[in-house]
Every structure is written in C-alpha cells, then in structure tokens.
Amino acid sequence: MADNHNISGKFMGLKDFHLKFKQGFQLRRILKIKTGVKKKEANFTTKPSWMMPAVSHGHHVVEGYDEFDCDYVVAQREQIEELEVWLFGVSDPRIGGGITKYMQAHLFDKKPKESIIKGKSNETMRKAYLDAKAKLRDAQGTEETTGVGSVSAMVINGEKLVLANMGDYRAIVCREGLAHEIGIRQKQSPKMSWTHRLFKANNKQSKSSDLVVGAEKIENDSEFVILASSGIWEVMKYQEAVNLIRRIENPEIAAECLASEASNRMSRSNISCLVIRFD
C-alpha cells in the first residue's frame, strides 16, 4: 500500500530557488523527489526500523552567470513495502537526468523483487552511466565525452550503500572521521570479474573519465557521504572536506558550507554538492 504522504508512480519535482550573490555567483537549490510502491519478497532479511539509521540529506549548488549551465541534483525515494531505497546524484548538465531516468525505467518501474533490488543495484547503476554516456555521444556526434562528470549513491534500507562516479565528480564516505573512496573497477582481463576495493581517499584516480562503481555495508561507524562536483575537489582534499563539515549535523547547512568554501577558494569549475547523513 502506498504511503499516504507520497504520490505513487508519479515523478514529483520540487524546485526551491534561493538566490544569493556571493563571489560573483548565484546560489540555487534544486530537489527532485520520486516515490513509489513495489512488491516485497519474503526471503529478503531486513532489520527492524528501529535498528536502521535514519537517512537525512541536503544539497547546495553554486550557480554561474548562466543558470542553464547548472548541475543536475536529484534525491529520489522509492518505498517497496518495508524496503526503503534512496537514489541521490549530482551530474554535469550535459548528462542531466539521464542516469536517473535509466534507473527508473530499468529498475524501479519494473516492480522488481527486493532480492533484485539488493543484488542488481550495482550492475544497473553501471549500465545507467554507460547508457547516459552513449546518448551524450550520439547527441554530440562524437565519441569524445572528456570532462563530463557525474556521481550517484543508492541507500538501500539503511544497510547497503552503492556509489558510482565518473569524470572528476566524486563520492566520499566518512567513517569514524576518515575520508574513504569506495569503488569497483572492471579489469582488462575478461577472466577477471569485478573486484572490491575500499581505500583511504587521497584525491587520486587513474583516469578522470573512468567509471567507478562500488558498494559497502552501512555500519555503525558510517557517518555521512559527500557527493560533489569537480568544483569542490579541485580546491579541497577529501579529508579536508570531511573535517570541514563533520560536526555540522544539518546536511543542508553542511552542503552549503562546502560549496561556500569552494567558492571562497575561487574554484573555476561547477560547484555542487549533496551530503547524506546516517543518524
């Protein structure tokens, strides 16, 4: 049964524009939420609601002089009986909502069983990025997509965290005050499947155009996640960003703090961030 507070099966967009001049920029906030109801499979073990961390989130976008060149920010919620799924993302305007639309069409709208949500989320996320890149290449009439970035996160029942990033957009997890970047990379050898890596983040990656997808359990020491564009990371180290907002309980204020700091440091790229807290 659908939650009375939600609108089932409809995409609900909320745009709350907060304009403020600072460092020659305008600040804009965009929130797009989708809710829905799907079926539940009994063999998926879930924690009682009182054991699962509450998920809160906030975002902030520093807008340049051209408001149409602004990053696409999404926070989308799906309810599958007792299973709560959140999809978050910050994307280059050239990709926009392509990744979100793919996830909706190929995962949520198919009314999957809970076991599919749990087991196929990583692969569906990867395909969403590849599909968005392919459509962008077709639109541009070129194979080159250098400089295009996006970062996404799925939070499944407060237990599983799926992250993906492409380009210079990054997802950073704070665990016990330390910044970590999580990823699964596809190896060159066809005999080698995906390998799981969890490593302390140091703002280094092999190629900025690489697609990285990864997952981990949300444990008691998982504090929050930062999804941010290149405008944050070109002027701030991962641990530095974590230290800056760790004591800020309100994720909306934390996201604004990160964006404002990047603006103060005269970042030249898109400045957008979304903070997800596990309370």
Side-chain angles (χ1 to χ4, degrees):
M1 181 177 294
D3 188 336
N4 291 332
H5 297 288
N6 298 328
I7 298 177
S8 176
K10 299 291 183 182
F11 189 80
M12 187 163 54
L14 302 178
K15 292 187 176 180
D16 178 18
F17 293 93
H18 171 60
L19 301 178
K20 177 174 66 176
F21 286 97
K22 183 175 182 180
Q23 297 289 335
F25 292 103
Q26 292 178 309
L27 301 181
R28 181 176 71 175
R29 298 173 180 173
I30 308 168
L31 179 61
K32 298 185 179 180
I33 301 176
K34 170 146 196 257
T35 62
V37 177
K38 308 293 186 293
K39 295 181 180 179
K40 176 179 181 294
E41 183 178 286
N43 63 3
F44 184 83
T45 302
T46 59
K47 294 181 181 179
S49 59
W50 59 269
M51 291 183 63
M52 295 186 296
V55 178
S56 59
H57 59 89
H59 67 282
H60 209 74
V61 177
V62 176
E63 184 181 308
Y65 296 105
D66 183 0
E67 67 179 42
F68 299 104
D69 194 38
C70 190
D71 281 340
Y72 179 94
V73 177
V74 63
Q76 176 176 320
R77 181 181 180 275
E78 294 284 338
Q79 185 70 35
I80 308 171
E81 294 189 8
E82 296 180 4
L83 187 65
E84 180 186 68
V85 182
W86 278 98
L87 175 64
F88 300 99
V90 177
S91 298
D92 184 294
R94 286 170 289 179
I95 288 183
I99 295 167
T100 303
K101 291 177 182 178
Y102 185 97
M103 294 293 291
Q104 186 64 45
H106 293 81
L107 188 64
F108 302 128
D109 283 349
K110 288 184 174 295
K111 299 182 179 179
K113 298 177 181 178
E114 289 184 358
S115 58
I116 294 178
I117 289 284
K118 180 182 178 182
K120 299 294 185 179
S121 54
N122 300 37
E123 182 66 10
T124 306
M125 182 81 81
R126 183 183 72 86
K127 289 180 178 179
Y129 271 73
L130 296 178
D131 180 77
K133 286 183 67 176
K135 288 181 177 178
L136 179 62
R137 287 195 297 266
D138 291 342
Q140 293 181 338
T142 176
E143 291 294 317
E144 186 61 54
T145 58
T146 302
V148 177
S150 180
V151 58
S152 303
M154 285 184 68
V155 179
I156 303 174
N157 227 37
E159 299 173 315
K160 181 179 180 181
L161 178 65
V162 180
L163 297 173
N165 63 255
M166 179 179 68
D168 292 326
Y169 288 49
R170 294 286 185 270
I172 300 301
V173 182
C174 174
R175 298 171 62 242
E176 294 187 325
L178 296 179
H180 295 268
E181 186 177 11
I182 185 172
I184 299 177
R185 295 178 181 275
Q186 193 170 21
K187 299 298 183 179
Q188 296 297 322
S189 171
K191 295 182 180 180
M192 298 181 67
S193 60
W194 301 82
T195 57
H196 187 241
R197 295 183 181 180
L198 176 62
F199 48 95
K200 291 182 67 174
N202 59 3
N203 287 41
K204 291 182 179 180
Q205 201 171 76
S206 59
K207 294 180 180 179
S208 63
S209 60
D210 285 351
L211 168 61
V212 181
V213 182
E216 71 172 32
K217 290 183 179 180
I218 299 173
E219 304 287 1
N220 292 335
D221 60 358
S222 301
E223 299 179 35
F224 59 87
V225 179
I226 301 172
L227 308 182
S229 64
S230 54
I232 300 289
W233 306 126
E234 73 178 25
V235 295
M236 209 176 304
K237 294 182 178 179
Y238 299 153
Q239 188 62 49
E240 190 177 7
V242 164
N243 294 343
L244 182 64
I245 67 169
R246 189 187 179 201
R247 303 301 179 186
I248 302 177
E249 295 184 0
N250 186 318
E252 190 80 19
I253 296 175
E256 183 174 359
C257 178
L258 277 174
S260 296
E261 180 63 22
S263 180
N264 290 339
R265 297 185 184 192
M266 306 303 291
S267 176
R268 298 182 179 181
S269 300
N270 284 7
I271 302 175
S272 307
C273 62
L274 191 154
V275 177
I276 309 161
R277 289 201 70 96
F278 307 116
D279 301 317

